[in-house]
């Protein structure tokens, strides 16, 4: 896409937006229903594209990309009528008679930029939020999931209103051209380096942005945890989608007293889930491309730990990295430097909860934080921050429909999902209505005499 056509695209969508077409609540509901239908009608093709791009196991692709997106669109469709109503605000006596209200206006023409790891969900859910709020939308799928990008772009053209919703495929060049335009909101999901590029481009036009970024999300397993449960839930978060999930467990801190038992249980979880050779399992995914496989291999090769307790096999050409557990990891190991975003789980021991807490507070704020403990969940939550958190579970905080999803600090800013997505893509306009028939108040009119000041002091 040349810069000129990006400009033309935005102009065309702005004309649609200004016609009022997208503000209509029925239009919004129709588009959300069409989005949900599009995902359900084309489930098999989408599953095939996700398998091609990421070797995504069928169940994970269905649950994490298709069902989760369709149910978000359905939830927004059912609720948006209530959210879109004006909210009345009490007017202090000094300013009466008058009424005040918040009205929700769509922001206008918005841009959604998605990554490759959940290439349907991370495009369809922000799109659904933008539609629920009544915007015209441009979606930019990730070029690193090319089969899904091509399919979803074609389907969007068939199912959604082409006058108001456009998908633009491409990579850095196309995204750069899009970012040069003036948008009314940008929601970007991906890494923090590009997040800064997006924020800088948005700043030129003072465009509000939502940055959904990543980071190293830790799990802490205390000695009073249910270890079987902890191992199972950590396994789910670490090895689904081969660890390429923004809220995956990046690494585990475990109390020394239960360290060996947890590692054993993690090994059991891997065997039960993927068999003796996970490479043969239809339920274990692949790394998105060779470059990322090389990157994860380099972290593993970087040392700074005692041993590879489970797994460790890597075949870069096949984009395969085995579910791996690494023990005796030092805080300065390569694996502890950047977000792993792959199926390698470093395990660090601690004697006192203050150790992982100090490490978390000295690091970038994570997108998610998981604590496994019968009694110390709140102790950890009260002393740390993160985008979201679970006590005795992993990842499921993403699902309750109206729980805001977003990061803090390096893991991003702004949030969406359910009502929060509607809020993100809406402008809260403050309206103050005065009846026309009342006499003008003399108080605000100069000359400001002593008597006016006395009355003003009394009524305020
Ligand atoms: P990616 O490489 O697909 O990039 C994301 C988007 O940015 C793509 O659409 C891409 O075309 C665009 N892009 C890439 N380089 C660009 C540039 N120089 N200028 C403009 N646009 C550019 O995905 P990724 O960044 O590798 O995604 C993985 C990261 O995203 C991880 O850090 C992960 O934690 C994070 N993530 C966060 C969430 C969340 O909801 N918070 C969800 C998924 C992934």
């Amino acid at each position: 896409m040349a810069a000129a056509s990006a400009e033309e695209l935005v102009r065309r969508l702005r004309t649609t937006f200004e016609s009022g077409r997208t503000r209509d609540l029925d239009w919004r509901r129709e588009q959300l229903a069409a989005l949900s239908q599009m995902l359900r009608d084309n489930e098999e093709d989408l599953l095939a594209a996700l398998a091609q791009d990421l070797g995504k196991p069928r169940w994970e692709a269905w649950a994490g990309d298709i069902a989760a997106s369709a149910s978000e669109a359905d939830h927004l469709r059912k609720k948006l009528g209530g959210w879109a109503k004006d909210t009345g605000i009490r007017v202090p006596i000094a300013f009466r008679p008058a009424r005040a209200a918040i009205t929700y206006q769509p922001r206008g023409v918005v841009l959604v930029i998605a990554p490759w790891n959940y290439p349907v969900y991370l495009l369809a859910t922000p799109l659904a939020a933008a539609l629920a709020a009544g915007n015209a939308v441009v979606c930019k799928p990730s070029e690193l999931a090319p089969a899904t990008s091509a399919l979803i772009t074609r389907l969007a053209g068939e199912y959604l209103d082409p006058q108001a919703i456009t998908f633009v495929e491409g990579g850095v060049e196309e995204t750069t051209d899009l970012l040069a335009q003036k948008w009314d909101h940008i929601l970007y999901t991906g890494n923090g380096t590009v997040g800064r590029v997006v924020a800088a481009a948005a700043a030129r036009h003072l465009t509000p942005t939502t940055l959904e970024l990543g980071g190293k999300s830790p799990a802490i397993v205390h000695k009073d945890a249910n270890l079987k449960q902890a191992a199972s839930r950590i396994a789910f978060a670490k090895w689904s989608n081969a660890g390429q999930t923004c809220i995956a467990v990046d690494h585990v801190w475990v109390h020394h007293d239960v360290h060996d038992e947890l590692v054993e249980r993690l090994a059991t979880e891997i065997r039960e889930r993927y068999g003796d050779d996970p490479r043969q399992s239809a339920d274990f995914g692949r790394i998105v491309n060779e470059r990322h496989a090389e990157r994860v291999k380099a972290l593993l090769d970087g040392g700074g730990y005692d041993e590879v307790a489970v797994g460790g096999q890597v075949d870069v050409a096949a984009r395969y990295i085995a579910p791996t557990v690494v023990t005796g990891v030092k805080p300065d190991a390569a694996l502890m430097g950047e977000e792993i975003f792959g199926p390698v789980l470093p395990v660090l021991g601690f004697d006192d909860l203050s150790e992982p807490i100090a490490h978390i507070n000295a690091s970038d704020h994570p997108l998610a934080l998981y604590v496994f403990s019968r009694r110390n969940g709140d102790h950890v939550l009260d002393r740390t921050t993160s985008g979201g958190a679970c006590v005795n579970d992993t990842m499921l905080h993403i699902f309750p429909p109206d729980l805001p999803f977003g990061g803090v600090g390096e893991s991003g800013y702004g949030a969406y999902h359910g009502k929060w997505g509607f809020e993100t893509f809406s402008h809260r306009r403050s309206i103050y209505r005065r009846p026309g028939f009342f006499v003008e108040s003399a108080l605000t009119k100069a000359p400001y005499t002593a008597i006016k000041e006395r009355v003003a002091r009394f009524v305020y």
Side-chain angles (χ1 to χ4, degrees), residues 113-118 122 140-145 170-173 175-176 179 188-192 194 197-198 211-215 244-247 291-292 339 341 367 398 405-407 411 416:
I113 304 174
W116 49 266
N117 60 332
Y118 288 79
L122 294 171
K140 217 298 287 168
S142 175
E143 72 280 18
L144 298 189
V172 176
E173 192 188 325
T175 318
T176 305
L179 285 171
Y188 164 82
T189 306
N191 66 75
V194 177
V197 173
V198 172
L211 295 185
E212 296 282 344
L213 310 178
Q244 301 163 108
T245 304
C246 56
I247 49 170
R291 182 171 62 81
H292 276 282
E339 181 182 5
F341 224 55
L367 183 59
I398 200 169
F405 182 78
S411 53
Y416 71 120

